[in-house]
């Protein structure tokens, strides 16, 4: 029994220590408003102004694919080159929201000057992010959104607009009529539904374009390949490929070619900028139109954070530039010496990409 | 008397799965004209070759009364190793294949040692290796799968010999080989006896530890083989490419009549189980059944299969 009492005493002491440790770490900053002051889409950041160079914390949810790896490599390379950055601390939550919450709390405890977050989900990390905000650390969200008002700036790809723009191109390329096969992202994701809505607006305007089959292939090459093979088997008349991810477009083109279709005559769209697809496009003379989803979006987030720390006004919502790749400029973007897994919407040099991704 | 032999019992246990597969194909033929065209069926077979291979390995784990949750991670590791070692070079194709199979065997051996020597339950052991093998794949790639597979490996997964997909032909040979191994020799009898009653088997002189160990090594090797086919099919891997094979392989094996309790079932049933999942998937896509209905239908089939086998066991 005595042992248990001792144990309890130790636990109680630990608890007291941890409480005091927390309260000293999150000293309230008086001059930060309840939530960001936004006027005409511009955020007042004057009270964040401090002298550099700065320590920037980046909480990333996962590096489970080449896109995300490249995205994090971009921000590290940009930080290294920028004299305003003293240090950049990048954490990786391995896809786990709980781990990301702990990561953010660690970064707060390390007194980072600004916090950049690529979140796990729309709600899971909100409390941790708000804790950082309340501690006087400006928070920048990028890549995907969270539900919170306590975010200084958001950098998000305008997928709805991009999907709309690519769909308009294919509608025109088809002359307003034809049978198309659609390849979509992960079913049940709000972001996917929003992206697809951009396509549906165009479909509503062109009633003679029929989606003869549609499948959720999760933006993934392998799933799109299986889905496409099955859809083509039952719907041999394919006039166009309406995909919202160009890894899926790539799989669709391969399936069509293997089945003897003339792929140069079938307009195809996608969003992404997958080097594998671009290589295939060039080698097979496809008629395609892609908007690149830049991995350098993380650099925009870094630059926004640095502006905030210098007290410069920043946009509450910013979007990456729209990079259109079509048959006229394909050669500028395709990287024949780099592996298929590279993404071409990048600020990294070819040498950096080679070191990152191999041959 | 002959009915009590495990060999014929294995064959009998696969009957419900084959009947289900036949009914399903008949339904598909009615719903989708042209579904039963040989070229169409061969294309479906090609897509499901990796699942068949990993499910064959999983059958061994279940037959000895265990389970292998690490197969998905082994597939992922095999995919990233294949492209990383080969770097698109034909000369590195064989070293790449050897590296993948060796890695699969090593994971299987690690599973086997923990299960047999330390007596840790297979579920926990393979759950742990699932996680650590995924970690190894991450460390190896730092998140970004590198390189690409050799053209010959792509041919293995995508190519055709005349009208027959290479992958289908090779997996048919593998299936027959494994069936032969399980039904026509001492090793097969030992596997069934060990799974049915390990203590009893040990008492009649069967080296049960060695049998269990080979089962897990085979499971790892088959998962690695499946990974090679996936690598050839996909070309570029991602670090979650193997994940869906864990539950799918278990579902295929169970639908095929192999039980979690061990000692009953076999790879012929597993082939039918894979066939059911493949035909269902193709039917879902070709008839454009809504996503929600798909999950429900799939669960109905799983429960129905379990019921059929349960009724059979009580007879």
């Amino acid at each position: 029994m005595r042992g248990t009492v001792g144990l309890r005493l130790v636990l109680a002491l630990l608890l007291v220590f941890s409480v005091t440790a927390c309260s000293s770490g999150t000293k309230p900053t008086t001059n930060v408003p309840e939530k960001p002051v936004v006027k005409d889409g511009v955020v007042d950041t004057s009270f964040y102004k401090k002298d550099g160079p700065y320590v920037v914390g980046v909480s990333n949810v996962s590096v489970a694919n080449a896109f995300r790896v490249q995205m994090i490599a971009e921000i590290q390379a940009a930080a290294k080159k920028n004299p305003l950055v003293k240090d950049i601390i990048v954490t990786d939550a391995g896809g786990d929201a709980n781990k990301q919450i702990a990561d953010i709390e660690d970064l707060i405890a390390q007194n980072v000057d600004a916090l950049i977050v690529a979140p796990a989900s729309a709600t899971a990390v909100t409390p941790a992010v708000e804790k950082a905000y309340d501690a006087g650390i400006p928070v920048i969200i990028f890549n995907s959104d969270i539900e919170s008002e306590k975010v200084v700036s958001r950098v998000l790809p305008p997928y709805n607009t991009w999907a709309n723009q690519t769909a308009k191109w294919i509608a025109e390329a088809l002359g307003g009529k034809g049978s198309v096969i659609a390849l979509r992202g992960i079913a049940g994701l709000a972001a996917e539904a929003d992206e697809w809505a951009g396509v549906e607006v165009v479909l509503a305007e062109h009633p003679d374009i029929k989606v003869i089959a549609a499948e959720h292939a999760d933006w993934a090459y392998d799933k799109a390949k299986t889905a496409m093979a099955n859809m083509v088997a039952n719907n041999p008349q394919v006039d166009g490929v309406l995909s919202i991810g160009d890894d899926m477009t790539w799989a669709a083109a391969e399936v069509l070619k293997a089945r003897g279709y003339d792929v140069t005559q079938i307009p195809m769209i996608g969003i992404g900028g997958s080097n594998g697809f671009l290589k295939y496009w060039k080698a097979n003379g496809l008629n395609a139109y892609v908007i690149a989803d830049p991995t350098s979006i993380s650099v925009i987030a870094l630059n926004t954070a640095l502006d905030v720390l210098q007290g410069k006004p920043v946009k509450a919502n910013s979007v990456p530039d729209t990079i259109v790749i079509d048959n006229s400029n394909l050669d500028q973007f395709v990287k024949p010496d780099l592996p298929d897994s590279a993404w071409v919407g990048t600020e990294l040099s070819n040498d950096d990409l080679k070191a990152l991704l191999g041959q | 008397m002959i009915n009590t032999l495990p060999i014929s019992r294995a064959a009998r246990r696969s009957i419900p799965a084959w009947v289900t597969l036949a009914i399903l194909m008949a339904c598909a033929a009615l719903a989708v004209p042209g579904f039963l065209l040989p070229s169409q069926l061969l294309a479906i077979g090609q897509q499901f070759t990796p699942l068949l291979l990993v499910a064959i390995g999983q059958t061994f784990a279940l037959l000895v009364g265990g389970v292998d949750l690490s197969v998905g991670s082994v597939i992922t590791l095999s995919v990233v190793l294949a492209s990383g070692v080969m770097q698109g070079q034909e000369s590195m194709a064989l070293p790449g294949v050897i590296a993948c199979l060796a890695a699969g065997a090593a994971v299987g051996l690690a599973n086997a040692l923990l299960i047999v020597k330390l007596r840790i339950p297979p579920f926990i052991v393979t759950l742990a290796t699932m996680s650590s093998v995924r970690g190894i794949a991450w460390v190896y790639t730092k998140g970004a799968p590198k390189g690409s597979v050799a053209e010959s490996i792509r041919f293995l997964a995508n190519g055709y010999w005349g009208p027959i997909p290479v992958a289908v032909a090779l997996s048919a040979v593998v299936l027959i080989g494994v069936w032969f191994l399980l039904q026509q020799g001492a090793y097969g009898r030992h596997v069934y006896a060990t799974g049915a009653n390990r203590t009893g088997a040990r008492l009649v002189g069967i080296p049960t530890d060695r049998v269990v160990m080979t089962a897990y090594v085979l499971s790892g090797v088959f998962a690695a083989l499946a990974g090679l086919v996936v690598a050839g099919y996909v070309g570029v891997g991602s670090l979650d490419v193997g994940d869906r094979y864990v539950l799918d392989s278990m579902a295929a094996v169970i639908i095929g009549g192999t039980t979690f309790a061990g000692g009953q079932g076999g790879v012929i049933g597993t082939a039918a189980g894979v066939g059911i999942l493949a035909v269902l998937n193709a039917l879902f896509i070709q008839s454009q059944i809504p996503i929600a209905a798909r999950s429900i239908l799939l669960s109905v089939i799983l429960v129905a299969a379990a019921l059929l086998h349960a009724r059979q066991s009580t007879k």
Side-chain angles (χ1 to χ4, degrees):
Chain A
M1 268 320 262
R2 191 173 287 169
T4 346
V5 173
L7 190 67
R8 280 184 193 164
L9 197 66
V10 170
L11 279 177
L13 278 173
L14 275 176
L15 197 66
V16 171
F17 275 126
S18 61
V19 167
T20 45
C22 277
S23 54
S24 66
T26 60
K27 59 174 184 292
T29 322
T30 44
N31 52 359
V32 174
E34 257 318 277
K35 58 182 187 187
V37 184
V38 186
K39 207 176 152 196
D40 300 330
V42 174
V43 189
D44 176 12
T45 63
S46 51
F47 35 79
Y48 287 119
K49 186 174 169 148
K50 55 164 100 169
D51 292 333
Y54 311 105
V55 178
V56 178
V58 180
S59 166
N60 178 38
V61 57
S62 101
V63 283
N65 54 50
F67 185 91
R68 299 195 70 97
V69 169
Q70 204 176 304
M71 189 170 78
I72 294 306
E74 305 259 4
I75 195 170
Q76 283 170 323
K80 201 181 276 178
K81 274 187 271 178
N82 196 321
L84 285 172
V85 182
K86 186 164 79 186
D87 196 9
I88 183 163
I89 308 169
V90 180
T91 62
D92 171 32
D96 179 1
N98 291 314
K99 167 84 165 61
Q100 187 166 33
I101 292 167
D103 286 346
I104 292 175
E105 291 187 346
D106 271 353
L107 290 169
I108 297 172
Q110 290 183 63
N111 278 317
V112 292
D113 294 312
L115 178 66
I116 298 173
V117 181
S121 79
T123 50
V125 298
T126 299
V129 162
E130 295 188 342
K131 190 173 164 192
Y133 181 91
D134 290 339
I137 300 171
V139 180
I140 319 293
I141 300 287
F142 78 107
N143 189 53
S144 71
D145 205 3
I146 66 162
E147 287 173 15
S148 175
E149 290 185 317
K150 297 187 172 185
V151 170
V152 173
S153 181
R154 296 174 153 85
V155 189
L156 303 169
Y159 289 125
N160 177 288
T161 313
W162 287 347
N164 184 266
Q165 188 175 332
T166 53
K168 276 183 181 151
W169 179 86
I170 200 169
E172 201 166 302
L174 288 167
K177 63 176 196 295
S179 305
V180 299
I181 282 185
L183 289 161
R184 302 182 53 177
I186 294 173
L189 274 191
E192 199 272 347
D194 179 56
E195 187 171 354
W196 185 250
V199 173
E200 280 188 327
V201 174
V202 178
L203 289 175
E205 286 166 2
H206 297 90
D208 290 336
I209 295 180
K210 301 267 187 272
V211 177
I212 47 172
E215 204 58 38
H216 288 276
D218 305 358
W219 291 289
Y221 173 95
D222 59 329
K223 286 185 184 161
K225 211 164 171 185
T226 306
M228 189 69 190
N230 279 306
M231 288 192 284
V232 172
N234 203 32
N235 303 283
Q237 177 65 37
V238 182
D239 300 320
V241 176
L242 207 175
S243 149
I244 59 169
D246 66 358
D247 268 345
M248 300 192 293
T249 319
W250 177 17
E254 280 193 353
V255 169
L256 288 171
K257 180 150 198 242
R259 305 237 168 170
Y261 287 79
D262 180 1
V263 284
T264 62
Q265 298 303 314
I266 301 175
M268 301 177 187
I269 54 171
I271 293 167
S274 144
N275 195 39
F277 175 59
L278 265 55
K279 283 195 219 168
Y280 189 83
W281 178 353
K282 189 172 157 63
N284 292 279
L286 305 181
N287 179 22
Y289 182 97
V290 159
I291 291 180
D293 188 4
T295 52
S296 53
I297 189 172
S298 56
V299 180
I300 305 176
L302 175 68
N303 292 336
T304 306
L306 296 176
D307 283 348
V308 170
L309 291 172
Q310 295 170 84
K312 296 180 187 166
V314 297
K315 283 192 213 162
N317 294 289
S318 42
V319 295
D321 293 340
T322 298
I323 306 165
V324 173
I325 306 170
D326 60 16
N327 284 42
S328 71
N329 67 358
L330 174 62
D331 286 342
Q332 292 169 32
F333 288 96
V334 66
K335 296 175 185 295
D337 302 337
L338 288 174
D340 294 349
S341 55
W343 294 84
V344 302
T346 179
E347 290 180 8
L348 292 171
S349 69
N350 282 358
D351 287 342
D352 285 348
L353 285 171
K354 228 173 244 177
L356 196 65
L357 303 165
Q359 298 280 343
Chain B
M1 184 58 205
I2 202 119
N3 275 350
T4 58
L5 289 172
I7 295 152
S8 65
R9 213 188 287 147
R12 263 201 314 151
R13 283 200 65 85
S14 73
I15 292 171
W18 284 105
V19 170
T20 311
L21 179 59
I23 294 172
L24 203 59
M25 285 171 80
C27 294
L30 289 176
V32 182
F35 192 92
L36 294 184
L37 285 176
S39 62
Q40 175 62 9
L41 292 179
L42 286 169
I44 296 174
Q46 186 187 32
Q47 292 156 13
F48 278 77
T49 297
L51 181 60
L52 177 63
L53 292 172
V54 63
I56 288 173
Q58 187 72 268
T59 308
F60 279 94
L62 265 79
L63 278 178
V64 297
V67 67
D68 190 349
L69 300 177
S70 67
V71 289
S73 297
V74 172
I75 288 177
T76 301
L77 180 65
S78 180
V79 169
V80 297
L81 260 183
S83 50
V85 171
M86 293 178 200
Q87 296 282 337
Q89 309 287 321
E90 200 52 53
S91 57
M92 291 303 286
L94 191 62
V97 169
I98 292 170
C100 290
L101 297 182
V107 175
L109 188 63
N111 281 332
L113 288 173
L114 290 166
I115 290 164
V116 169
K117 300 296 179 201
L118 299 182
R119 306 260 165 234
I120 309 172
F123 189 92
I124 294 168
V125 168
T126 58
L127 190 67
T129 45
M130 170 173 96
S131 187
S132 53
V133 172
R134 183 181 296 155
I136 292 168
W138 276 62
V139 170
Y140 179 69
T141 60
K142 299 191 194 72
K146 291 172 180 38
S148 52
V149 293
E151 209 43 54
S152 55
I153 303 297
R154 298 219 66 169
F155 179 74
L156 214 67
N158 289 301
Y160 279 82
W161 281 326
I164 312 283
V166 178
V168 172
L170 290 181
S171 57
V173 172
V174 169
L175 180 67
I176 292 167
V178 172
W179 174 79
F180 197 78
L181 175 74
L182 276 175
Q183 306 306 336
Q184 307 290 327
Y187 177 70
R189 280 200 304 278
H190 289 175
V191 167
Y192 282 100
T194 303
N197 181 350
R198 194 173 302 184
T199 318
R202 197 166 42 235
L203 290 176
V204 298
I206 293 172
T208 54
D209 281 1
R210 215 186 307 155
V211 170
V212 172
M213 287 177 68
T214 52
Y216 283 97
V217 170
L218 282 171
S219 180
V221 169
F222 276 108
L225 196 59
L228 275 167
V229 179
V230 172
Y233 192 62
V234 174
V236 182
S238 62
L239 285 174
D240 54 6
V241 70
D243 290 359
R244 65 196 169 101
Y245 289 99
V246 180
L247 289 178
D248 279 3
S249 67
M250 282 161 64
V253 175
I254 303 271
I255 291 174
T258 303
T259 57
F260 261 119
Q264 288 188 327
V267 287
I268 295 300
T270 297
V274 172
I276 288 170
L277 293 181
V279 168
L280 260 183
N281 180 64
L283 180 61
F284 284 162
I285 295 176
Q286 293 193 20
S287 55
Q288 293 277 294
I289 293 172
I291 297 271
R294 295 181 190 185
S295 326
I296 294 168
L297 273 171
L298 199 60
S299 68
V300 168
I301 301 253
L302 255 177
V303 171
L307 263 178
L308 274 173
H309 295 310
R311 283 177 60 85
Q312 198 185 30
S313 302
T314 54
K315 266 181 202 166

